[in-house]
Amino acid sequence: MIKKFRIVVIFNGIKYVWGLFWVVKALNSKSVYLVISCLKWLSLGLFISMLIVSIVLLYTLSKMITDYDDFVHEL
């Protein structure tokens, strides 16, 4: 089962690295404007990552449903 969701694990790893990078950068910022900018990029990257993961999971779910439907009709 984990082989089917390897891409999800990879995107979650990228998500955590992306988040850690921008949080550390925001903590080292010297102005509020830079902190807001870092938080903007952090939220944008995490939103895109979660969108990709959701699309992959929905695609996998639809593929599992169609495979199951084909199996039932073969009986």
Side-chain angles (χ1 to χ4, degrees), residues 19 30 53 56 71 75:
K30 296 191 188 280
V53 167
V56 168
F71 174 72
L75 292 177

Side-chain angles (χ1 to χ4, degrees), residues 1-2 5 9 13 15 32 39 46-47 50 53 59 64 68-69 74:
M1 186 85 168
I2 198 70
F5 298 110
V9 172
K15 179 180 68 173
V32 175
L39 291 176
L46 294 180
F47 174 73
M50 290 307 298
V53 167
Y59 174 75
M64 288 171 63
Y68 182 74
D69 189 41
E74 289 176 3

Side-chain angles (χ1 to χ4, degrees), residues 7-19 41-57:
I7 190 80
V8 173
V9 172
I10 290 170
F11 273 113
N12 279 334
I14 291 170
K15 179 180 68 173
Y16 291 131
V17 169
W18 177 268
W41 286 108
L42 173 69
S43 63
L44 181 65
L46 294 180
F47 174 73
I48 291 171
S49 175
M50 290 307 298
L51 187 66
I52 292 171
V53 167
S54 298
I55 289 170
V56 168
L57 288 175

Side-chain angles (χ1 to χ4, degrees), residues 19-37:
L20 182 64
F21 171 76
W22 284 106
V23 166
V24 169
K25 190 168 178 160
L27 288 173
N28 289 329
S29 298
K30 296 191 188 280
S31 70
V32 175
Y33 176 76
L34 292 175
V35 171
I36 292 171
S37 177

